[in-house]
Amino acid sequence: MTILSRPTSFAEAARILADLGPSARLVAGGTDLYVKLRKGLPPPEYLVDLGSVADPGARSIAEEGGEKGSIRAGALVNFAQVVRSPLVAATLPALRDAASIMGSVQIRGRGTLGGNAANASPGGDALPPLIVGNARAIVVSSEGSRTVSVEDLFVGPGLSCLAPHEIIVSFVWPRAPGRASVFERVGNRAFHVITKASAAIAARFDDTGRICDVGVALGAVAPTPIRARRAEMVLEGTRPSVDLLALAASEALSECAPKDDIRSTVAYRAEMCRVLLPRLLRRLDSSWRAGCDVSS
Ligand SMILES: Cc1cc2nc3c(=O)[nH]c(=O)nc-3n(C[C@H](O)[C@H](O)[C@H](O)COP(=O)(O)OP(=O)(O)OC[C@H]3O[C@@H](n4cnc5c(N)ncnc54)[C@H](O)[C@@H]3O)c2cc1C
């Protein structure tokens, strides 16, 4: 039998996790964990349900520090909130792109940003956008708090660098005026699928049309979501061209380690890398020319 506790703050949850040790497990929306339990994951002795946490900011998206500041999204923010947030649309539209196609209406209303990151699926759709947005996860435990770049959060399929007693409380990403971002994924259908391959790109274009501050991240093509640093180096400071896009895509491919599984093959995932990056860069470039409206 699993014993359920319902802390009303992250601090209380951290104390409970410290007291109970590895026999306790966090649950937020439950859209990953309850599916795994139904599929045979041994039930934890204690379940620490974050659903009653009432800390200010746990379920909201807000700006900090004005025009040059940052955006903070609570770990319990769900994907429906991400889709509706004007701050996300203005500062990290790739995250809105991703949230708007995740699961179903019901899943978007329950699944949380913190759960998506802590679940550490290589195909977690919020993760490439958070990586290219240079987002950091704020993590607390009974020992205090620390900050982990989302890029460094993942160590293997389903494995994050978080200790069992650590809790993600929020994500923070810098405002980067003029830096647009886009995300796309490939699956068997447009909606209600598990991602076969995904990509997010963020960049700014300077007055001469050169790409600046570029970020490229890929999902479901390696054991973790990855930042494609070599592709970024190819793109930074250049003007987009067909050859450049092809070179960036092939560099990105060299950074992937796709594998065959029940959803897709190595060859298909590699091909999708080649297709997605140029497609996203073209989208970003035309968005920029149209005044950075990347919503369509
Ligand atoms: C039908 C269906 C469709 C789906 N579609 C998509 C999709 O399109 N794209 C996609 O990426 N995902 C999808 N998912 C997966 C899931 O909805 C998301 O990963 C979601 O973000 C998980 O959030 P959650 O709050 O429900 O996590 P939970 O299931 O509550 O938790 C997941 C894991 O994270 C841990 N955890 C939760 N919150 C925290 C925290 N704050 N700090 C530390 N650890 C924490 C839990 O202990 C657990 O191990 C789908 C799931 C279902 C069932």
Side-chain angles (χ1 to χ4, degrees):
M1 195 183 68
T2 298
I3 299 170
L4 184 70
S5 66
R6 290 212 165 94
T8 55
S9 67
F10 283 124
E12 187 189 351
R15 276 196 301 276
I16 294 173
L17 289 181
D19 288 348
L20 298 175
S23 56
R25 181 99 189 224
L26 287 173
V27 64
T31 60
D32 274 316
L33 186 64
Y34 291 144
V35 172
K36 286 184 184 171
L37 291 173
R38 285 190 70 146
K39 284 187 175 164
L41 181 79
E45 227 175 299
Y46 299 94
L47 208 46
V48 181
D49 182 354
L50 297 174
S52 299
V53 165
D55 290 347
R59 289 182 181 72
S60 61
I61 304 171
E63 56 190 333
E64 294 180 336
E67 284 291 293
K68 294 209 172 120
S70 43
I71 307 301
R72 181 180 295 265
L76 300 177
V77 162
N78 65 41
F79 292 105
Q81 289 176 273
V82 172
V83 173
R84 287 195 304 266
S85 166
L87 282 174
V88 173
T91 60
L92 193 51
L95 184 60
R96 184 202 43 189
D97 285 356
S100 63
I101 53 167
M102 283 173 75
S104 56
V105 170
Q106 292 86 343
I107 295 294
R108 290 194 288 278
R110 279 206 73 84
T112 63
L113 275 179
N116 201 247
N119 192 53
S121 163
D125 286 318
L127 309 177
L130 287 171
I131 291 172
V132 297
N134 298 317
R136 289 166 291 129
I138 314 301
V139 176
V140 301
S141 71
S142 56
E143 290 145 21
S145 79
R146 66 180 180 123
T147 300
V148 186
S149 159
V150 173
E151 182 183 344
D152 298 329
L153 204 51
F154 313 107
V155 294
L159 279 179
S160 77
C161 68
L162 299 181
H165 64 291
E166 288 188 306
I167 308 171
I168 302 173
V169 296
S170 59
F171 296 90
V172 177
W173 61 88
R175 267 185 187 280
R179 191 170 185 254
S181 64
V182 285
F183 166 88
E184 278 188 34
R185 73 173 180 189
V186 182
N188 278 352
R189 299 172 296 275
F191 292 95
H192 227 270
V193 286
I194 297 186
T195 298
K196 291 180 177 187
S198 66
I201 298 189
R204 201 164 55 72
F205 291 84
D206 72 11
D207 295 344
T208 65
R210 289 179 200 279
I211 301 172
C212 309
D213 300 336
V214 65
V216 178
L218 304 167
V221 292
T224 66
I226 56 164
R227 183 150 197 165
R229 293 275 182 196
R230 289 205 284 272
E232 290 177 2
M233 275 156 61
V234 166
L235 294 168
E236 186 71 31
T238 58
R239 286 200 189 87
S241 68
V242 172
D243 289 347
L244 184 79
L245 298 187
L247 181 59
S250 85
E251 283 297 323
L253 197 53
S254 73
E255 298 176 80
C256 303
K259 68 178 184 77
D260 287 326
D261 62 19
I262 50 164
R263 276 174 223 114
S264 196
T265 61
V266 169
Y268 183 79
R269 289 193 154 113
E271 185 56 24
M272 285 307 101
C273 254
R274 262 191 287 270
V275 169
L276 277 175
L277 283 192
R279 188 195 289 170
L280 283 180
L281 265 166
R282 277 193 212 99
R283 226 178 110 194
L284 205 57
D285 192 25
S286 56
S287 309
W288 164 71
R289 289 184 201 294
C292 275
D293 176 14
V294 291
S295 53
S296 55

